[in-house]
Amino acid sequence: MDAYAAIRTKRDSRAYMDRPLDDGVKRRILQAGRMAGSSTNRQPYRFIAIETAEQKEALSACGGFMRHVPQAAWVVAIAMPEEHTLFDAGRAAQNMMVAAWAEGVASCPVTIHDTECSRLVLGLPEGLQALHAVAFGYPPDPAQVGAGRRRKPLAEIVHHERYGTASR
């Protein structure tokens, strides 16, 4: 699948098959995250890859909307220095999710609401925080991924020069 097709067809999925991800696929997903741009090329993100049922369950207790995390085959928490912008974490997460989808792996980003919980669960040192993670797994029915709400038309979300100026 080419990059544009992966971006255009990728949708979040919270349902996964009980099937582990291949080590090569996991490595490519992590490599895609590593290759994300960052402010002044600091590369502040650190990835914590989680596979065990116990660790996925423990991490899921750190957020309000993480019930699907224990069912994922694999989860990557994104730790960032507290002083860094979360924009860089989002760039890394999106790279990983698009690379995963190109491999036929579904994903869903999650917010970690309780940073003290995640600090303990992930063993983070002082100064690092994990506010986001991405759950990965093979979808039960790839054709159903993204079958929900349609995207708004481009003309509805694009403005030119100033907000309120109709799309051309």
Side-chain angles (χ1 to χ4, degrees):
M1 178 180 316
D2 72 21
Y4 183 70
I7 291 167
R8 189 179 45 74
T9 61
K10 190 261 182 250
R11 297 292 180 271
D12 294 342
S13 178
R14 293 171 184 84
Y16 313 104
M17 289 176 27
D18 185 17
R19 175 181 162 199
L21 271 59
D22 175 74
D23 287 342
V25 170
K26 291 186 289 192
R27 182 168 176 74
R28 285 188 291 280
I29 291 169
L30 290 169
Q31 180 73 351
R34 183 180 80 85
M35 296 308 296
S38 62
S39 177
T40 63
N41 197 28
R42 286 188 174 159
Q43 304 170 54
Y45 27 72
R46 298 296 180 264
F47 307 133
I48 299 97
I50 303 165
E51 290 184 277
T52 66
E54 299 80 24
Q55 192 69 344
K56 289 184 289 185
E57 192 68 47
L59 184 63
S60 74
C62 298
F65 302 97
M66 297 177 71
R67 286 186 296 263
H68 65 285
V69 167
Q71 285 74 48
W74 191 56
V75 178
V76 176
I78 303 170
M80 297 283 290
E82 291 171 351
E83 71 276 3
H84 276 276
T85 173
L86 294 178
F87 190 74
D88 291 340
R91 293 174 75 183
Q94 188 70 14
N95 270 18
M96 288 190 279
M97 291 185 292
V98 170
W101 186 239
E103 299 275 355
V105 175
S107 61
C108 186
V110 294
T111 299
I112 299 170
H113 297 100
D114 187 339
T115 56
E116 281 308 307
C117 176
S118 66
R119 186 181 313 277
L120 291 171
V121 167
L122 300 172
L124 297 176
E126 196 63 38
L128 277 185
Q129 63 182 353
L131 299 175
H132 300 93
V134 181
F136 295 96
Y138 291 102
D141 182 358
Q144 289 300 310
V145 174
R149 245 177 22 205
R150 293 283 166 223
R151 300 308 238 186
K152 293 178 181 179
L154 198 56
E156 187 177 325
I157 62 173
V158 175
H159 304 266
H160 290 274
E161 306 299 335
R162 295 176 55 89
Y163 188 87
T165 306
S167 180
R168 299 177 209 184

